[in-house]
């Protein structure tokens, strides 16, 4: 097998490990009229209700109904516009609900933005939760994209007014934490609101995480995770970005009210909520590592939360490749620059030192080939109008960084791919690159720098060698951020 095909095989294994039906099947253990989830046992007495929201929730719901459908009373899920038709076209019928399903599917959030269809679905979910008793179980399925699919502004705030406030905040440079602080305060379901409405029923949330570090309060804005909402804190965020004077009267009205959720804070104290992360980037990397070992590589996981500007991330991978592929002792400046880049790309110094120690031992002790794995979500500064995504741009930039090293199979191969199968507004998930990329581009009349300055990485890879370097897994029906992979062959060491 070529290095390229082995890289693709490792990526496929990572995606397979976090398929929406797979993660549910592995997290629910059925024993007669009981289920065991995350070590907790729940009795089923035709008392199960189901709600869900997110891009991967349709497949999660189909599998949940297969396992516990005989006790399911009713369900509602909010999923992306057009997803059922798309799944049929891609032959993913096993991830669709049966015709006689007790779960109602509501599609909305066209272009990944909250809309009136998603608002209707959220209202239905809120209504279902509100009618439950202490004898009921509510199974909540959550995945990335869930926030846009569960918009429930507190009356009299309209959906448009809430969107305008959050857009202005984002445009003014507010952090994700600040945005969530405001979003939660204006929403009846986020920040533990759904769990609040479901009380006194037992709530079990199964979560497919698309956020670095899997923080429960940030995934879909934490509808089953209690969070204190302080109007003073919200007002101070709005004041910081000079938005207080332009607030709609409805928003001011809601922020001036006493917090009704705090008056009855059972969702914080009664322990009636179980939140379980059943799929994440770490789980994908673990399975990728197993597949890499089967293919003859020694797997090393750098970190599951690589972030920061794509230029810094590509520089890091280029330096690690040079460090690992040196047939002599690499110059100390390489390790020094790797450690300097760490804070910029969200990787701890400890993880960088550990990784370089493993790479060094592999080189000096002749362990053979290594597969360096990482996950996360780097950012791209948009300076052009081209087509692409962060994974294709990262692969293109790493290709530049690898110039001068050996070609495969004697030199390294780098892959970057989005586990959702879509990198930006393209049909590719990412791309594969090596030290020969720039020379190959030059021979075909493609100027790498001009494509990068126009953020046009997809057009570049489509034209380069008829698109052979593109990674196109098709619709994956999951999302746990990105997978980065650096395959490093066994390097012959020069003995002095």
């Amino acid at each position: 097998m070529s290095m390229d095909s082995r890289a693709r095989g490792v990526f496929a294994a990572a995606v397979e490990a976090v398929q929406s039906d797979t993660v549910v099947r592995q997290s629910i253990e059925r024993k007669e009229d009981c289920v065991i989830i995350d070590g907790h046992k729940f009795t089923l007495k035709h008392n199960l209700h189901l709600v869900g929201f997110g891009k991967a929730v349709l497949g999660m719901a189909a599998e949940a109904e297969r396992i516990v459908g005989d006790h399911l009373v009713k369900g509602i899920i909010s999923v992306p516009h057009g997803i059922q038709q798309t799944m049929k076209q891609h032959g993913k019928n096993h991830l669709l609900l049966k015709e006689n399903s007790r779960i109602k599917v509501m599609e909305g959030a066209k272009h990944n933005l909250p809309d009136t269809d998603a608002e209707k679905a959220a209202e239905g979910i809120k209504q279902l939760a509100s009618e439950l008793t202490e004898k009921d179980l509510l199974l909540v399925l959550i995945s990335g994209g869930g926030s846009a699919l569960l918009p429930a502004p507190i009356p009299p705030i309209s959906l448009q007014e809430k969107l305008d406030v959050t857009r202005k905040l984002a445009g003014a440079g507010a952090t994700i934490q600040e945005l969530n602080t405001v979003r939660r305060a204006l929403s009846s379901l986020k920040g533990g609101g759904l769990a609040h409405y479901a009380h006194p029923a037992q709530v079990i949330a199964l979560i497919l995480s698309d956020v670095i570090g899997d923080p429960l309060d940030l995934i879909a804005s934490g509808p089953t995770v209690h969070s204190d909402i302080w109007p003073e804190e919200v007002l101070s965020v709005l004041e910081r970005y000079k938005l207080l004077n332009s607030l709609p009267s409805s928003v001011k009205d809601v922020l001036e009210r006493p917090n009704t959720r705090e008056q009855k804070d059972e969702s914080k104290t009664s322990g009636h909520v179980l939140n379980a992360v059943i799929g994440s980037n770490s789980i994908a990397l673990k399975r990728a590592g197993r597949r890499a070992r089967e293919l003859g590589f020694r797997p090393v996981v750098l970190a599951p939360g690589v972030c920061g500007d794509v230029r810094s991330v590509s520089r890091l991978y280029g330096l690690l490749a040079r460090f690992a592929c040196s047939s002599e002792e690499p110059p100390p400046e390489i390790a020094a620059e790797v450690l300097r880049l760490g804070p910029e790309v969200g990787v701890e110094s400890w993880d960088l030192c550990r990784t370089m120690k493993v790479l060094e031992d592999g080189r000096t002790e002749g362990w053979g080939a290594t597969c360096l794995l990482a996950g996360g979500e780097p950012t791209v500064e948009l300076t052009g109008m081209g087509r692409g995504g962060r994974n294709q741009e990262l692969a293109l930039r790493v290709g530049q960084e690898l110039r001068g090293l050996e070609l495969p199979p004697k030199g390294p191969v780098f892959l970057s791919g989005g586990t959702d199968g879509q990198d930006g507004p393209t049909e590719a998930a990412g791309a594969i690159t090596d030290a020969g990329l720039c020379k190959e581009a030059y021979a075909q009349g493609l100027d790498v720098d001009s494509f990068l300055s126009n953020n046009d990485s997809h057009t570049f890879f489509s034209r380069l060698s008829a698109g052979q370097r593109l990674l196109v897994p098709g619709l994956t029906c999951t999302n746990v951020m990105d997978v980065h992979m650096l395959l490093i062959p066994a390097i012959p060491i020069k003995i002095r």
Side-chain angles (χ1 to χ4, degrees):
M1 274 176 95
S2 68
M3 294 271 275
D4 178 294
S5 56
R6 284 191 280 181
R8 291 174 190 272
V10 173
F11 178 77
V15 171
E16 182 58 39
V18 287
Q19 284 292 298
S20 50
D21 57 336
T22 303
V23 292
V24 169
R25 188 161 54 247
Q26 291 174 344
S27 63
I28 302 177
E29 185 185 350
R30 177 75 189 262
K31 286 193 172 176
E32 295 175 349
D33 286 344
C34 291
V35 285
I36 299 166
I37 297 171
D38 200 31
H40 298 76
K41 192 173 184 180
F42 302 98
T43 304
L44 300 170
K45 293 181 179 174
H46 304 286
N47 57 344
L48 182 68
H49 298 73
L50 183 150
V51 297
F53 30 91
K55 293 180 181 178
V57 155
L58 190 57
M60 293 170 79
E63 189 61 30
E65 189 166 31
R66 271 193 279 275
I67 299 168
V68 291
D70 52 328
H71 285 273
L72 182 63
V73 180
K74 183 180 174 184
I76 298 175
I77 57 173
S78 179
V79 298
H81 177 82
I83 192 166
Q84 294 176 98
Q85 189 57 37
T86 304
M87 281 190 176
K88 283 174 190 165
Q89 288 167 354
H90 284 79
K92 302 271 183 179
N93 292 336
H94 64 292
L95 300 177
L96 292 168
L97 293 164
K98 301 283 186 284
E99 279 186 19
N100 61 350
S101 171
R102 291 186 176 164
I103 300 168
K104 183 179 181 181
V105 181
M106 299 182 75
E107 295 188 357
K110 211 170 185 178
H111 309 303
N112 204 25
L113 294 169
D115 57 17
T116 51
D117 288 335
E119 193 176 17
K120 278 179 198 159
E123 189 53 46
I125 286 169
K126 180 174 152 186
Q127 186 67 36
L128 185 153
S130 304
E131 293 167 357
L132 301 179
T133 70
E134 69 276 1
K135 294 176 182 174
D136 292 312
L137 293 175
L138 179 65
L139 184 61
V140 184
L141 307 175
I142 303 173
S143 78
S147 190
L149 287 157
L150 196 73
I154 299 171
I157 301 171
S158 72
L159 180 59
Q160 193 55 51
E161 285 172 332
K162 187 183 166 193
L163 279 175
D164 287 344
V165 171
T166 49
R167 270 202 199 109
K168 282 178 186 171
L169 262 180
T175 65
I176 185 67
Q177 287 78 10
E178 289 169 330
L179 279 168
N180 273 312
T181 296
V182 175
R183 264 195 211 126
R184 282 195 292 254
L186 306 183
S187 169
S188 59
L189 292 178
K190 293 179 169 76
L194 177 59
H196 169 83
Y197 280 105
H199 188 84
Q202 171 69 52
V203 177
I204 308 153
L206 303 183
I207 301 164
L208 187 60
S209 169
D210 69 333
V211 183
I212 287 174
D214 311 329
L216 295 174
D217 60 324
L218 290 190
I219 303 163
S221 301
T224 56
V225 182
H226 176 86
S227 62
D228 294 313
I229 294 165
W230 306 104
E232 303 81 9
E233 186 186 0
V234 179
L235 290 167
S236 76
V237 170
L238 293 165
E239 190 174 13
R240 194 172 306 140
Y241 295 101
K242 299 182 173 54
L243 294 175
L244 268 184
N245 295 333
S246 62
L247 286 180
S249 57
S250 59
V251 173
K252 288 178 184 171
D253 175 34
V254 166
L255 292 177
E256 284 165 5
R257 285 183 207 165
N259 189 348
T260 53
R261 245 191 256 173
E262 292 305 318
Q263 293 166 12
K264 188 174 104 169
D265 65 350
E266 66 285 320
S267 45
K268 178 168 63 175
T269 56
S270 72
H272 81 120
V273 181
L274 170 66
N275 286 301
V277 174
I278 61 171
S280 67
N281 193 271
S282 295
I283 290 168
L285 294 184
K286 190 174 179 183
R287 179 65 189 90
R290 286 218 306 272
R291 183 67 185 130
R293 197 179 288 281
E294 289 163 8
L295 292 170
F297 294 91
R298 185 170 194 264
V300 183
V301 174
L302 172 65
V306 175
C307 56
D309 188 85
V310 72
R311 292 182 183 89
S312 300
V313 176
S314 62
R315 181 73 185 137
L316 176 78
Y317 288 130
L319 289 165
L320 287 172
R322 288 182 188 281
F323 182 88
C325 293
S326 178
S327 58
E328 299 175 342
E329 186 68 27
E333 300 84 58
I334 291 184
E337 195 180 346
V338 164
L339 291 171
R340 183 192 63 75
L341 279 169
E344 285 182 37
V345 298
V347 184
E348 298 285 345
S349 296
W350 157 250
D351 284 322
L352 291 167
C353 289
R354 170 184 56 79
T355 299
M356 286 192 286
K357 176 79 169 76
V358 172
L359 293 175
E360 187 175 20
D361 289 349
R363 192 181 68 246
T364 56
E365 296 175 21
W367 285 343
T370 303
C371 174
L372 181 67
L373 290 160
E377 218 164 62
T379 51
V380 173
E381 184 188 347
L382 293 176
T383 54
M385 302 292 289
R387 288 185 79 225
R390 60 180 179 264
N391 288 285
Q392 291 164 92
E393 181 149 334
L394 177 59
L396 185 46
R397 289 187 181 279
V398 171
Q400 282 189 314
E401 295 287 343
L402 297 180
R403 270 183 298 203
L405 293 176
E406 293 248 36
L407 298 180
K410 292 182 178 178
V413 164
F414 178 80
L415 175 150
S416 184
T419 55
D420 62 353
Q422 263 192 310
D423 187 36
T426 76
E427 63 276 11
I432 301 177
T433 191
D434 56 49
L437 178 98
C438 291
K439 195 174 178 183
E440 189 179 322
Y442 180 77
Q444 294 174 34
L446 301 172
D447 179 19
V448 173
D449 288 325
S450 65
F451 280 99
L452 282 171
S453 63
N454 194 32
N455 298 115
D456 206 12
S457 54
H458 182 69
T459 305
F460 171 84
F461 279 114
S462 298
R463 290 184 189 169
L464 184 74
S465 303
Q468 286 179 13
R469 289 178 179 268
L470 282 170
L471 179 66
V472 190
L475 184 74
T476 65
C477 306
T478 189
N479 181 18
V480 294
M481 303 183 293
D482 305 335
V483 170
H484 304 157
M485 186 188 321
L486 188 62
L487 297 186
I488 299 156
I491 306 297
I493 304 300
K494 292 177 184 171
I495 307 295
R496 288 186 174 174

